[in-house]
Amino acid sequence: MYYIEKGSGDTVILLHGWGQTKETFNTIIDNLKDNYHVIAIDLPGFGETEIGLPMDLYMVSELLHKFVVCMNIKKPIFLGHSYAARILGIYASKYEVSKLIIVSGAGIKQKLSMKNRIKIRIYKFFKKRNIILKTGSVDYINSDNVKRVMLVNAINTDITKELKTIKAPTLLIYGSKDKVTPLSLGYKMKELIEYSELIKLDGCGHFPYIEQPTIFNLIINSFLVSEVV
């Protein structure tokens, strides 16, 4: 597990989304390093953390817990973007977490649109005839065979059950113009996580911490210093 580590104080662990690396959080690291012990990890299969076989969400969650134990971190604070929210939902349902920040989080299986259902039918039609079309999301097309298995597993894993058991104070941040993980998904997560609040960033897409870094950092700073009752 490769990671960036800076600062001292309470530990904040940053987990990137699909196709990203630890360096995506450089602005957040610079914001937090003077007051917190900040660790940004390359998740398995991304950046410098290489894997040979696919890992499902539960396996990655257990690996993350081993990392926390090995680093002797007590009650970590987590910030996870998109794909990482799936991992954190599972992790926080089993292990002690001080606070959670979920950004553009995924994890609740959504109904397929008519357009996507048609795409799947066309793909299956040609596959039966041994004709493989280059189709699927950009993430799927750009992934190697190992990560394609991981991506399909992640998309098909619904963590609704785990989200209902999370007790850590949770901040949900979603962009109003996010088409990957829409704001409606954020409201569903808020209903499932008992101690959660949702903040909508107007005009933002899937990467609010990059699109509006100043506002984003002010929001997470306020949440981190807030008292938990």
Side-chain angles (χ1 to χ4, degrees):
M1 296 277 281
Y2 282 80
Y3 58 94
I4 299 170
E5 183 178 22
K6 292 188 178 181
S8 60
D10 292 339
T11 300
V12 181
I13 300 176
L14 311 176
L15 302 179
H16 60 77
W18 189 268
Q20 305 300 308
T21 66
K22 57 188 180 298
E23 283 77 19
T24 191
F25 291 127
N26 284 341
T27 301
I28 298 177
I29 294 169
D30 288 340
N31 169 57
L32 296 176
K33 66 183 181 181
D34 290 338
N35 298 300
Y36 298 92
H37 173 218
V38 189
I39 298 174
I41 297 173
D42 273 341
L43 289 169
F46 300 95
E48 298 178 274
T49 304
E50 298 180 357
I51 53 174
L53 295 172
M55 297 181 68
D56 65 28
L57 296 173
Y58 295 90
M59 294 168 68
V60 177
S61 175
E62 289 305 310
L63 184 62
L64 179 61
H65 179 61
K66 289 180 181 179
F67 177 88
V68 170
V69 172
C70 287
M71 296 290 285
N72 196 30
I73 299 168
K74 307 297 182 186
K75 295 187 69 175
I77 300 165
F78 282 103
L79 182 152
H81 175 248
S82 193
Y83 163 72
R86 300 175 186 269
I87 299 164
L88 289 180
I90 294 167
Y91 184 99
S93 71
K94 293 182 66 177
Y95 302 111
E96 191 171 22
V97 173
S98 177
K99 291 181 178 181
L100 278 179
I101 302 172
I102 291 176
V103 185
S104 308
I108 302 172
K109 201 168 181 180
Q110 302 179 74
K111 290 183 178 179
L112 289 173
S113 65
M114 179 61 71
K115 181 179 178 181
N116 285 333
R117 287 201 294 268
I118 292 171
K119 280 184 178 180
I120 291 170
R121 286 177 184 174
I122 292 172
Y123 177 81
K124 288 180 177 179
F125 174 83
F126 282 103
K127 187 177 180 181
K128 286 180 180 179
R129 289 152 181 81
N130 295 318
I131 301 172
I132 304 301
L133 299 177
K134 191 175 182 181
T135 186
S137 68
V138 173
D139 286 337
Y140 184 83
I141 292 170
N142 291 338
S143 296
D144 58 29
N145 289 336
V146 170
K147 290 206 287 289
R148 283 181 180 179
V149 174
M150 291 174 62
L151 180 59
V152 171
N153 171 268
I155 291 172
N156 289 324
T157 301
D158 190 303
I159 61 167
T160 296
K161 181 177 68 175
E162 285 83 0
L163 293 174
K164 289 179 179 179
T165 66
I166 293 175
K167 299 302 180 185
T170 302
L171 177 64
L172 304 164
I173 304 175
Y174 283 78
S176 64
K177 294 186 176 181
D178 191 344
K179 294 181 180 180
V180 180
T181 51
L183 181 61
S184 58
L185 190 59
Y187 285 117
K188 289 179 181 178
M189 281 204 172
K190 186 181 184 303
E191 290 178 5
L192 294 169
I193 302 174
E194 186 174 2
Y195 303 106
S196 64
E197 291 296 336
L198 185 147
I199 291 181
K200 176 186 71 171
L201 288 182
D202 289 326
C204 269
H206 193 54
F207 293 87
Y209 60 94
I210 294 175
E211 297 170 53
Q212 293 186 13
T214 302
I215 295 174
F216 183 90
N217 284 329
L218 285 171
I219 291 169
I220 65 171
N221 289 346
S222 297
F223 177 68
L224 291 174
V225 300
S226 64
E227 292 293 329
V228 179
V229 180

